[in-house]
Amino acid sequence: MNSEAPVFKIKTGHLPVLLLHVLTTDLELLKAQLALRLRQTPDFFASTPIVLELTAIADSAGAPDFSGLVAFMREHGMCASGVTGGSEDQRAAAVKSGLGLYPDAQIRIAMRRSTDGQGDASGEHRAAVATTATSPPEAAVLQVQPELPGLSGESASVAPVQPEISRDAAHPAAQERAVVRPTLVIDKPVRTGQSIYAEGANLVLLAIANAGSELIADGDIHVYAPLRGKAIAGAHGNQSARIFVNRLEAELLSIAGCFKVFEDGLPEAVRGKPAQIHLEGNRLVMQPLLD
Amino acid sequence: MALQVKCATSFFFKVVNVAKVIVVTSGKGGVGKTTTSASFSTGLAMRGNRTVVIDFDVGLRNLDLIMGCERRVVYDIINVINGEASLNQALIKDKNCDNLYVLPASQTRDKEALKLEGVGKILDELKESFDFIVCDSPAGIESGAFNAMYYADEALVVTNPEVSSVRDSDRILGILAAKSKRAVDGAEPVKEHLLVTRYDPKRVNSGEMLSVADIQEILRIPLLGVIPESQMVLQASNSGTPAIHLEKSDVAEAYRDVVGRFMGEALPMRFTTEKAGFFKRLLGGN
Ligand SMILES: Nc1ncnc2c1ncn2[C@@H]1O[C@H](COP(=O)(O)OP(=O)(O)OP(=O)(O)O)[C@@H](O)[C@H]1O
Ligand SMILES: [Mg+2]
């Protein structure tokens, strides 16, 4: 290989990540409870990267023993990659233990099951996973990029972060991104294991989204073919986001974190039909599209 | 006639000079990749194409068994990559076809020895003397399968008529579309072909298995052929003869059709409906 040819690239990526919310600085207690949980599903975390979410302990004095926690997690197949939230001291302690710092972001309300959803146990379990895996921190787009100077050509459109509002304040409307990004149009099938994210934009898919695939948009999602995978619209909390599909066969639908799973199939009225999905309060409404 | 075809194709490839790399892949194991690789490469060679079939299933060598050349394996692909043998030393000439060579996998080495860069080098060298390079992929989506598919120009996606196999094929198609060399380079995408194997119309009709239409509806790629389920495949592999050589067999004919379609012939699909049984025919039912 030519030694002058570039052999690496630095790019920003948006990957779903699991958050472990740390609710105590007492490591022994934390380990004990984690161990109990992991015994039930020993292979659940197969080398999954995990971010430690420290917001709940930010006001506690001192920091957990991160080195001990990381070692314990590693034994159970969880790779702690960094922390988010937490006090200055805690973040400093995390860095000392070799952890990375994710931008300090107030965590958005968790994904919640649509109020008329079925509440079976396995569904709840999935809910817990879906929560952390697919609901990024509120305003992550606003806050992530300024901490990666020079890595993204898009930082011009990002409002600067004022540190004092970064923890508890509700973000005022003025902070919403001012620039509307162009719709992301995909004309190839989205297949099992693939995930598409339209960041700050609508997503239009002109081909199938098969079972085991994932469509995520901060705006609306349109699928002009069968939708068989998961569709997550309004991923940053836009409650007026909608999903439009040509043929509804989805595994999961979510708008602004309010979701439904369809382990036992979709309701007759919309199954396999053109449909639209929107939010009414806490309820995900699925309607056939009439012509 | 056979001679004419031979001249025409080799002339074509010398002028245009494009050797094609074709991966036979599936995701799921045991669906018929190796059976297909053996028969497909044999069929290409029978039409006069200079063809080599490579076993990428390091550690689980069995293409050589199905091709009936296991006793002649001296060197393998990893010897070549490590510079311990030349390609010429490792290539085994097929016992039935003049234009066909087998590059066996290693039975003893561990899989990590096969690296993408080494594979690329071997393929480049093979491209100089062959028209078609058929890569028999191992099951799974790990490095072995990735090595086999990365350089592909075309892919035969082998699928059995069951949900888990279709799901795995979908995943493989996703990887081909996103991570193959063609995808990474932004070149023309890998050309995808659907090959449904072990198809049993009777079990499809009884609802036990997916139909060809069901599979196409999910995967949405062009159908290259349907290979029926047949006891004779096992016999063929036990005797070290690719199934395409079988006399009076649906499987052999189906594989010949596949090769014909691959070469651009418009052949109707066969073996997709239940054969009328003896009593049905006797009674005039259908
Ligand atoms: N059309 C067919 N009819 C009946 N049996 C078949 C057919 N095709 C393949 N088989 C049988 O299925 C089994 C698996 O076939 P084969 O080894 O070709 O699959 P494979 O996809 O290469 O498997 P692996 O993933 O292990 O490499 C063998 O026993 C073979 O004889
Ligand atoms: Mg095989």
Side-chain angles (χ1 to χ4, degrees):
Chain A
M1 185 174 273
N2 179 350
S3 64
E4 270 145 46
V7 291
F8 69 87
K9 287 186 201 165
I10 296 180
K11 289 185 170 183
T12 55
H14 294 272
L15 304 172
V17 66
L18 284 176
L19 297 174
L20 180 74
H21 291 242
V22 178
L23 308 181
T24 174
T25 52
D26 179 348
L27 184 60
E28 288 314 311
L29 186 61
L30 183 60
K31 276 188 188 172
Q33 286 196 7
L34 258 182
L36 198 67
R37 174 69 165 73
L38 291 170
R39 209 171 308 142
Q40 296 158 1
T41 47
D43 299 325
F44 191 75
F45 298 98
S47 304
T48 309
I50 306 268
V51 175
L52 301 171
E53 214 292 302
L54 306 179
T55 304
I57 57 165
D59 296 330
S60 322
D65 164 19
F66 284 114
S67 306
L69 181 56
V70 168
F72 174 81
M73 289 170 71
R74 173 67 39 91
E75 274 169 41
H76 292 86
M78 306 160 86
C79 306
S81 66
V83 301
T84 178
S87 67
E88 280 305 312
D89 286 352
Q90 289 162 352
R91 292 168 73 81
V95 170
K96 228 178 229 161
S97 312
L99 290 165
L101 290 182
Y102 285 86
D104 181 359
Q106 171 75 19
I107 300 306
R108 231 206 113 62
I109 30 129
M111 288 235 291
R112 58 210 184 280
R113 186 173 285 272
S114 174
T115 44
D116 59 345
Q118 327 94 312
D120 59 300
S122 66
E124 292 302 341
H125 175 70
R126 269 184 81 174
V129 178
T131 299
T132 40
T134 54
S135 171
E138 182 175 27
V141 179
L142 289 174
Q143 300 194 354
V144 167
Q145 294 186 346
E147 298 214 1
L148 300 170
L151 294 186
S152 162
E154 292 156 2
S155 38
S157 66
V158 171
V161 181
Q162 285 127 28
E164 62 269 23
I165 57 116
S166 66
R167 191 158 305 135
D168 52 4
H171 295 282
Q175 268 204 296
E176 295 283 298
R177 61 179 47 256
V179 181
V180 176
R181 295 204 188 174
T183 297
L184 178 62
V185 181
I186 306 281
D187 59 1
K188 302 216 170 53
V190 182
R191 299 187 181 277
T192 310
Q194 292 188 308
S195 177
I196 302 281
Y197 176 33
E199 185 194 344
N202 296 334
L203 172 61
V204 169
L205 180 62
L206 300 170
I208 33 162
N210 268 346
S213 69
E214 194 172 64
L215 307 177
I216 308 172
D218 289 334
D220 304 329
I221 296 177
H222 299 249
V223 184
Y224 296 99
L227 166 63
R228 300 174 176 137
K230 302 186 176 76
I232 295 159
H236 275 83
N238 176 4
Q239 306 204 352
S240 56
R242 290 180 183 227
I243 300 171
F244 303 89
V245 305
N246 186 272
R247 204 162 101 201
L248 186 61
E249 298 173 18
E251 293 170 326
L252 175 148
L253 294 168
S254 166
I255 291 173
C258 182
F259 73 100
K260 270 186 180 171
V261 286
F262 305 102
E263 280 155 79
D264 305 320
L266 285 145
E268 181 79 47
V270 288
R271 188 192 316 145
K273 300 202 170 96
Q276 88 158 297
I277 296 94
H278 70 280
L279 211 53
E280 272 174 21
N282 246 354
R283 211 164 64 85
L284 203 63
V285 180
M286 300 184 284
Q287 294 169 313
L289 277 176
L290 303 173
D291 53 1
Chain B
M1 184 59 202
L3 204 65
Q4 233 177 336
V5 172
K6 175 176 172 175
C7 292
T9 47
S10 45
F11 174 70
F12 175 78
F13 281 104
K14 264 190 205 110
V15 172
V16 187
N17 192 24
V18 277
K20 266 191 194 153
V21 178
I22 303 148
V23 64
V24 179
T25 183
S26 70
K28 191 168 157 71
V31 295
K33 292 179 293 296
T34 302
T35 304
T36 297
S37 299
S39 286
F40 183 67
S41 55
T42 299
L44 290 171
M46 279 160 49
R47 285 167 171 259
N49 301 294
R50 297 166 304 169
T51 306
V52 56
V53 55
I54 308 178
D55 190 349
F56 276 84
D57 212 342
V58 175
L60 284 170
R61 197 181 80 179
N62 61 21
L63 178 69
D64 51 346
L65 293 173
I66 292 187
M67 301 292 295
C69 64
E70 74 278 10
R71 297 234 179 84
R72 289 188 287 145
V73 173
V74 181
Y75 298 109
D76 56 57
I77 184 167
I78 289 177
N79 292 128
V80 180
I81 285 180
N82 292 346
E84 296 150 4
S86 70
L87 255 180
N88 277 337
Q89 287 175 301
L91 286 173
I92 302 173
K93 190 173 171 305
D94 183 61
K95 59 185 180 190
N96 298 308
C97 291
D98 277 348
N99 294 313
L100 182 59
Y101 288 81
V102 180
L103 182 54
S106 171
Q107 215 167 23
T108 48
R109 315 297 180 100
D110 88 282
K111 299 185 231 184
E112 305 311 314
L114 203 59
K115 290 268 168 17
L116 215 48
E117 224 177 48
V119 173
K121 265 197 204 145
I122 288 194
L123 293 178
D124 282 343
E125 204 177 328
L126 288 170
K127 279 182 186 175
E128 287 172 17
S129 24
F130 289 97
D131 304 317
F132 290 110
I133 302 167
V134 177
C135 304
D136 178 19
S137 171
I141 53 169
E142 277 81 45
S143 66
F146 191 66
N147 283 331
M149 74 161 72
Y150 183 73
Y151 295 98
D153 299 306
E154 307 201 16
L156 302 198
V157 178
V158 179
T159 306
N160 288 168
E162 46 178 281
V163 173
S164 62
S165 172
V166 176
R167 190 61 98 87
D168 281 5
S169 295
D170 194 50
R171 191 181 287 274
I172 285 286
L173 284 164
I175 297 172
L176 278 168
K179 303 208 175 128
S180 63
K181 183 164 192 306
R182 280 176 171 270
V184 172
D185 293 351
E188 182 92 345
V190 176
K191 192 168 174 192
E192 302 155 337
H193 307 273
L194 174 61
L195 185 65
V196 179
T197 60
R198 310 201 63 167
Y199 198 70
D200 186 343
K202 209 162 134 192
R203 296 183 68 188
V204 171
N205 286 347
S206 71
E208 274 171 81
M209 288 191 150
L210 298 176
S211 69
V212 174
D214 293 335
I215 298 169
Q216 274 188 289
E217 165 54 31
I218 296 170
L219 297 178
R220 304 202 170 193
I221 61 171
L223 178 66
L224 186 66
V226 179
I227 311 295
E229 169 82 21
S230 163
Q231 300 278 322
M232 293 177 80
V233 171
L234 194 60
Q235 284 173 33
S237 56
N238 285 342
S239 66
T241 313
I244 197 169
H245 286 307
L246 292 170
E247 300 276 335
K248 294 201 189 100
S249 125
D250 289 356
V251 168
E253 286 185 38
Y255 273 121
R256 274 180 228 140
D257 284 0
V258 162
V259 175
R261 285 186 206 107
F262 187 83
M263 300 305 295
E265 292 163 21
L267 302 170
M269 286 294 158
R270 297 195 278 168
F271 317 114
T272 53
T273 49
E274 223 171 315
K275 268 190 199 164
F278 176 70
F279 284 105
K280 263 193 187 162
R281 265 182 288 166
L282 204 66
L283 299 171
N286 53 9

